Amino acid sequence: MTFVVIGGDAAGMSAASRARRLYPDLEITVLEQGHDVSYSACSMPYNIADPDTPMDDLVVRTAREFIENHHIHLLTGHRATAIHPDKKQVTVRTLQGESTAVAYDKLLIATGAVPTLPDLPGKERLMPLKQLADGRRIKETIQKQKVRNAVILGMGYIALEMCEALTELGIQVTMVKPGPRLLPWLPEKMAQVVQEELIRHNITLHAGTGIQRIEPKDTGSRIICDGRTLDADLAIGATGVAPCSELAKDAGLTLGVSDAIRVDPYLRTSNPDIFAAGDCGDAIHVVTGQPVWIPLALRANRAGWAVADNLSGNRNALQGVAGTAVFKVFDLAVARSGLTLSEAKKAGFDPVENQITSLSRARWQPGAAKIHVSMVGDRQTGRLLGAQITGTDGVAHRINAAAVALHARMSVADFIQTDLAYAPPFSPTWDPMLTAAIQLEKKL
Amino acid sequence: MTFVVIGGDAAGMSAASRARRLYPDLEITVLEQGHDVSYSACSMPYNIADPDTPMDDLVVRTAREFIENHHIHLLTGHRATAIHPDKKQVTVRTLQGESTAVAYDKLLIATGAVPTLPDLPGKERLMPLKQLADGRRIKETIQKQKVRNAVILGMGYIALEMCEALTELGIQVTMVKPGPRLLPWLPEKMAQVVQEELIRHNITLHAGTGIQRIEPKDTGSRIICDGRTLDADLAIGATGVAPCSELAKDAGLTLGVSDAIRVDPYLRTSNPDIFAAGDCGDAIHVVTGQPVWIPLALRANRAGWAVADNLSGNRNALQGVAGTAVFKVFDLAVARSGLTLSEAKKAGFDPVENQITSLSRARWQPGAAKIHVSMVGDRQTGRLLGAQITGTDGVAHRINAAAVALHARMSVADFIQTDLAYAPPFSPTWDPMLTAAIQLEKKL
């Protein structure tokens, strides 16, 4: 049997590696249009902040390792240009422009997502950060061109992580976006905490600022916005990503929410011999039970593994995602799991939200700091729907208690009863997650 | 109606305060044999380590505040000596030796736990650490008597927290206990990690060492052990606690496991007008469904609140405890929730245990450190039964993901599917809790 994988990133290589372990006789071919496979994309901002560590350190396994040690036909520089489900073939084009056909018994589409840069004159001057090659390009630019100031278009996870990385390098950062406020999915008071952290680090923020075009300026760029002009030695585009689903669409596969490839719990697309996994595919949200597109690394890895399991029958059904995420910006961490108030409304719940501010540790403890927790519950069923946390201490892992509760479809009342850990160096007697749930329950 | 509370610590004062908020007309009397009420007992080791902060800073609310602001008849220096359920009276003795009777409609026994010092000649020389008065005494001794070395009998939570506190003050600490090894409930390899941390901080450990007697030596003590003699300016007794249930027993109330007062989910004892809460009472373990005695601060507070709720009918049923706990010893945190392998065997499960060692963060991140996770699952049902964690980074809140899963009676396979937060500064892509579950599932 031949297993062909399109895309050599997290989902694709997880699937290929696990398939090799599970089925020693399987023929495995991976088609990767770039040159890098199996690297930690999420670590790129931290690597950029560290001039002494080469970007290539983020490579977990090289193409050579996969080929020589794992006997995977890993073809870098090979771009899949079409899938022919009727012939069970993929058309592939090499860098040299040669076209060839690769036959499969089972196919995995793991094409990931691409940055969605705004359609502006001069947008090609914006540097995205998605592939390892993007990271190398940004890092080289910083090292070669004496970058003193940067403009980042966008204010999401990647934008904020890049903002911190560039600031650590002594680069003055300005962030700009057309949307009216920072992190619109966060309750306003909590977004304000993030904004204060950015301002404290001398970041200039222009939310609610339309962008008209980007022009060259010396070795850098000039960003012409509504009402202002921003000059930058480096212009980063971090305005979001979209699933790479065109190949799938052209092959007649069903797309769903956000044009992501629709998959079932076994990661099968609408064609029984074609799987999709990673940022190009959708998932069931454990709170709504509905398909959702939330590109996250853990899901990509998990889905890749599950595809390998399911090559020999429906063995591994994924239950879905809670949309759990965390990011760091300077001293602050911001985390979320499940639905926000507005997402819950859209999903048809009758949601109630409550925010609390507590201390992260017992009040006499060094390191005790303010932590803000917002929780959303359903008035009709009492069910916990989501949580968001902001703070400088003990944020990242606290969200996981909520994530597990969401998977278990726990009510807020039941979450209140959970026996969470307490010791003064780590938490008040009532962990902020419990205090948040207790206060929310009063409103339900 | 008159509500009488015996014991003015966490459970008692939580009940009294909440009862006051819920029922403005209720007569509330609290009988406290000591002079301190409502203080953070768990913070005492950290306060002892800090000579500049008076022990009284740990008082959350003073007796005067309860009396004047909350209109609670709080009688300190009043010891309950007998409960007469037939007459609905409590006999009380004052410090002056006067006896009086206090009538109740509803009674709460919140007498807590007492240190169980080994029955050795000279045991009165050992200083326990349970009440605020104990903390003051230890702190005064250290400040007045130039303590250079200390011996701690016991190696449990309190012993280890005191060991760190004394070491921070420049005091040389020796720990001794008859039992064969440190933290016997932790898998041996993980206990070894704790032992190495102690040795790294110059702590001398004598496990498996019987103790014969304690004699005076200069201003301190001489601890005569099997095969060795330990001189100490300060001798701490931290060999465990037992529930204070004698009053309840003498009143004919049912005691259960470890002689703790048996309570139902509404915190009612075997007498419908008498509640028990806090370290003197038992609880249902959420994994076994059986009564268990695990004295923990969060449960005491939660049970106190529930008693207040239940004064006017069965309003608040507690679901039970998972036995979640965490403590810090030097740079290390140790956490647990649910059952250990041997507890699971005793409870009639067919348990399987697996330990993993992972990194606490992505491997390129500063602060990434080894973290050890042990998980226990049931071979027959696949259910998660417990987890223990040891490490220097991100231990305390990670255990809460397991705690919530235990409350939800989740299987290991379902826990594997949970969408836990990932960002390189906080976790590898697969959080160590997931890696632990994945490896455990392979053995189930």
Side-chain angles (χ1 to χ4, degrees):
Chain A
M1 192 168 93
T2 301
F3 176 42
V4 173
V5 178
I6 304 176
D9 212 329
M13 295 320 296
S14 293
S17 305
R18 189 173 175 97
R20 171 49 68 238
R21 280 197 301 278
L22 293 175
Y23 320 103
D25 299 329
L26 185 69
E27 276 216 45
I28 305 172
T29 299
V30 178
L31 307 168
E32 166 56 44
Q33 61 179 341
H35 285 282
D36 304 298
V37 294
S38 187
Y39 56 88
S40 174
C42 302
S43 291
M44 287 194 291
Y46 306 97
N47 182 285
I48 287 168
D50 175 8
D52 300 329
T53 305
M55 186 61 72
D56 281 0
D57 269 26
L58 298 185
V59 173
V60 178
R61 259 183 255 167
T62 61
R64 182 183 288 263
E65 278 177 84
F66 283 107
I67 295 165
E68 295 184 356
N69 303 342
H70 301 273
H71 309 291
I72 290 168
H73 306 297
L74 173 50
L75 304 171
T76 55
H78 281 64
R79 193 157 76 85
T81 55
I83 299 165
H84 309 283
D86 48 337
K87 294 188 281 180
K88 297 186 93 172
Q89 280 187 355
V90 179
T91 306
V92 181
R93 181 165 294 168
T94 64
L95 289 180
Q96 292 74 34
E98 290 161 20
S99 241
T100 171
V102 175
Y104 65 81
D105 294 303
K106 298 284 181 187
L107 177 68
L108 166 60
I109 305 175
T111 41
V114 275
T116 50
L117 295 176
D119 193 18
L120 301 171
K123 69 172 176 178
E124 66 285 353
R125 303 195 62 78
L126 293 172
M127 293 193 194
L129 182 67
K130 185 73 181 67
Q131 306 286 334
L132 199 62
D134 300 330
R136 282 198 200 94
R137 184 173 161 218
I138 292 174
K139 198 160 182 172
E140 278 172 23
T141 303
I142 292 168
Q143 287 175 348
K144 288 189 183 157
Q145 291 187 19
K146 285 189 187 159
V147 169
R148 285 167 310 168
N149 55 59
V151 167
I152 301 175
L153 271 64
M155 298 189 189
Y157 297 7
I158 305 294
L160 291 168
E161 287 172 351
M162 275 308 297
C163 160
E164 178 182 344
L166 297 175
T167 301
E168 276 186 30
L169 292 169
I171 296 168
Q172 173 65 48
V173 177
T174 299
M175 305 182 83
V176 58
K177 73 163 190 174
R181 77 166 172 92
L182 184 67
L183 301 170
W185 53 268
L186 256 193
E188 193 152 2
K189 193 180 135 196
M190 289 167 66
Q192 189 64 34
V193 172
V194 182
Q195 182 158 331
E196 282 161 16
E197 181 73 2
L198 292 170
I199 290 168
R200 200 166 72 81
H201 285 87
N202 276 321
I203 310 305
T204 305
L205 295 172
H206 297 301
T209 300
I211 302 148
Q212 295 179 354
R213 64 186 186 280
I214 301 150
E215 298 174 351
K217 173 77 189 351
D218 303 331
T219 61
S221 298
R222 166 165 282 179
I223 295 101
I224 316 291
C225 307
D226 296 344
R228 70 179 78 239
T229 295
L230 304 169
D231 286 346
D233 299 327
L234 176 69
I236 304 269
T239 50
V241 291
C244 273
S245 54
E246 276 190 24
L247 267 183
K249 187 184 174 193
D250 292 346
L253 303 181
T254 305
L255 304 190
V257 57
S258 305
D259 282 335
I261 305 167
R262 184 76 195 91
V263 294
D264 71 6
Y266 301 99
L267 288 314
R268 293 177 304 189
T269 65
S270 53
N271 181 307
D273 294 316
I274 305 178
F275 297 87
D279 292 357
C280 62
D282 67 3
I284 296 297
H285 197 290
V286 293
V287 178
T288 64
Q290 296 300 313
V292 73
W293 182 66
I294 306 176
L296 285 169
L298 174 59
R299 165 74 185 190
N301 280 270
R302 188 177 262 148
W305 279 19
V307 168
D309 292 342
N310 295 332
L311 287 176
S312 59
N314 294 342
R315 295 173 167 215
N316 192 344
L318 294 191
Q319 292 172 2
V321 298
T324 314
V326 61
F327 66 92
K328 176 179 175 293
V329 55
F330 299 109
D331 298 332
L332 209 61
V334 182
R336 65 169 293 178
S337 189
L339 306 181
T340 64
L341 180 69
S342 66
E343 288 167 352
K345 274 181 192 155
K346 267 186 216 155
F349 291 101
D350 180 12
V352 180
E353 179 190 52
N354 190 68
Q355 290 169 52
I356 61 121
T357 299
S358 169
L359 281 178
S360 61
R361 312 180 183 194
R363 68 177 159 97
W364 306 270
Q365 283 288 325
K370 273 188 191 172
I371 183 167
H372 311 273
V373 182
S374 172
M375 263 191 197
V376 180
D378 184 35
R379 204 190 308 262
Q380 295 211 353
T381 59
R383 195 174 157 198
L384 179 68
L385 300 177
Q388 299 95 41
I389 320 180
T390 310
T392 54
D393 181 48
V395 166
H397 304 127
R398 273 194 168 103
I399 199 68
N400 291 341
V404 174
L406 293 172
H407 276 266
R409 305 175 70 88
M410 218 178 235
S411 68
V412 177
D414 283 350
F415 187 79
I416 287 173
Q417 297 249 5
T418 57
D419 190 9
L420 302 190
Y422 160 59
F426 306 113
S427 168
T429 312
W430 292 91
D431 191 88
M433 296 303 283
L434 294 174
T435 303
I438 289 166
Q439 296 304 323
L440 173 59
E441 180 70 10
K442 289 181 185 169
K443 285 190 179 177
L444 285 175
Chain B
M1 193 169 91
T2 301
F3 176 42
V4 174
V5 178
I6 304 175
D9 212 330
M13 295 321 297
S14 294
S17 306
R18 189 173 174 98
R20 171 50 67 238
R21 280 198 301 277
L22 293 175
Y23 322 104
D25 299 329
L26 184 70
E27 277 216 44
I28 305 174
T29 299
V30 178
L31 306 167
E32 166 55 45
Q33 60 179 344
H35 285 281
D36 305 299
V37 294
S38 187
Y39 56 87
S40 174
C42 302
S43 290
M44 288 195 291
Y46 305 97
N47 182 284
I48 287 168
D50 174 8
D52 299 329
T53 305
M55 186 61 72
D56 282 1
D57 269 25
L58 298 186
V59 172
V60 178
R61 258 182 255 167
T62 61
R64 182 183 288 264
E65 278 177 83
F66 283 107
I67 293 166
E68 295 183 357
N69 303 342
H70 301 273
H71 308 292
I72 290 168
H73 306 298
L74 173 51
L75 304 171
T76 56
H78 282 63
R79 192 158 77 84
T81 56
I83 299 165
H84 308 284
D86 47 337
K87 293 187 282 181
K88 297 186 95 171
Q89 280 185 356
V90 179
T91 306
V92 180
R93 183 165 293 168
T94 66
L95 289 180
Q96 292 75 35
E98 290 161 19
S99 241
T100 172
V102 175
Y104 66 81
D105 294 303
K106 296 285 182 186
L107 177 68
L108 166 60
I109 305 175
T111 42
V114 277
T116 50
L117 294 176
D119 193 17
L120 301 169
K123 70 173 176 177
E124 67 284 352
R125 303 195 62 78
L126 293 173
M127 293 193 194
L129 182 68
K130 184 73 180 64
Q131 307 286 333
L132 198 63
D134 300 332
R136 282 197 199 94
R137 185 175 161 217
I138 291 174
K139 199 162 182 172
E140 278 172 25
T141 303
I142 292 167
Q143 287 175 348
K144 288 190 182 155
Q145 291 187 18
K146 287 188 186 160
V147 169
R148 285 167 310 168
N149 55 60
V151 168
I152 301 176
L153 271 64
M155 297 187 189
Y157 296 9
I158 306 293
L160 290 168
E161 287 171 353
M162 276 307 297
C163 160
E164 178 182 345
L166 298 175
T167 302
E168 277 187 29
L169 292 168
I171 296 168
Q172 172 66 47
V173 177
T174 300
M175 304 183 84
V176 57
K177 74 162 189 175
R181 77 167 171 93
L182 185 68
L183 301 170
W185 53 268
L186 258 192
E188 193 152 3
K189 193 180 135 194
M190 289 167 65
Q192 188 65 32
V193 172
V194 182
Q195 182 158 331
E196 281 161 17
E197 181 73 2
L198 293 170
I199 290 167
R200 200 166 72 81
H201 284 87
N202 274 321
I203 310 304
T204 305
L205 295 171
H206 297 301
T209 300
I211 302 147
Q212 295 179 354
R213 63 186 186 279
I214 299 149
E215 298 174 351
K217 172 76 189 352
D218 302 333
T219 60
S221 297
R222 165 165 284 180
I223 295 100
I224 316 293
C225 307
D226 295 344
R228 68 178 81 238
T229 296
L230 305 169
D231 288 345
D233 298 328
L234 176 68
I236 305 267
T239 48
V241 290
C244 273
S245 55
E246 277 191 22
L247 267 183
K249 187 184 173 191
D250 293 345
L253 302 180
T254 305
L255 305 190
V257 58
S258 305
D259 282 335
I261 305 168
R262 185 76 195 91
V263 293
D264 70 6
Y266 300 100
L267 287 315
R268 293 177 305 190
T269 66
S270 52
N271 181 307
D273 293 316
I274 306 179
F275 296 88
D279 291 357
C280 61
D282 66 3
I284 296 297
H285 197 289
V286 294
V287 178
T288 63
Q290 296 299 313
V292 72
W293 182 67
I294 306 176
L296 284 169
L298 174 59
R299 164 74 185 190
N301 281 270
R302 187 177 261 150
W305 279 19
V307 168
D309 293 342
N310 295 331
L311 287 176
S312 59
N314 293 342
R315 295 173 167 215
N316 191 344
L318 294 191
Q319 292 172 1
V321 297
T324 314
V326 61
F327 67 91
K328 176 179 175 296
V329 56
F330 299 109
D331 298 333
L332 209 62
V334 183
R336 65 169 292 177
S337 190
L339 305 181
T340 63
L341 181 69
S342 67
E343 289 167 351
K345 275 182 192 156
K346 267 186 213 153
F349 291 101
D350 180 13
V352 179
E353 181 189 52
N354 190 67
Q355 290 168 52
I356 62 118
T357 299
S358 170
L359 280 178
S360 60
R361 312 179 182 195
R363 69 177 159 97
W364 306 272
Q365 284 288 323
K370 272 189 190 172
I371 183 166
H372 311 273
V373 182
S374 172
M375 262 191 198
V376 180
D378 184 35
R379 204 190 307 262
Q380 295 212 351
T381 60
R383 195 174 156 197
L384 179 68
L385 300 176
Q388 299 95 42
I389 319 179
T390 310
T392 54
D393 181 49
V395 166
H397 304 127
R398 273 193 167 104
I399 199 68
N400 290 341
V404 174
L406 293 172
H407 275 266
R409 304 176 70 89
M410 218 177 234
S411 69
V412 177
D414 284 350
F415 187 79
I416 287 172
Q417 297 248 6
T418 58
D419 189 9
L420 302 190
Y422 160 58
F426 306 113
S427 169
T429 313
W430 293 90
D431 190 89
M433 297 303 284
L434 295 173
T435 303
I438 289 165
Q439 296 304 324
L440 173 59
E441 181 69 9
K442 289 183 185 169
K443 285 191 179 178
L444 285 175

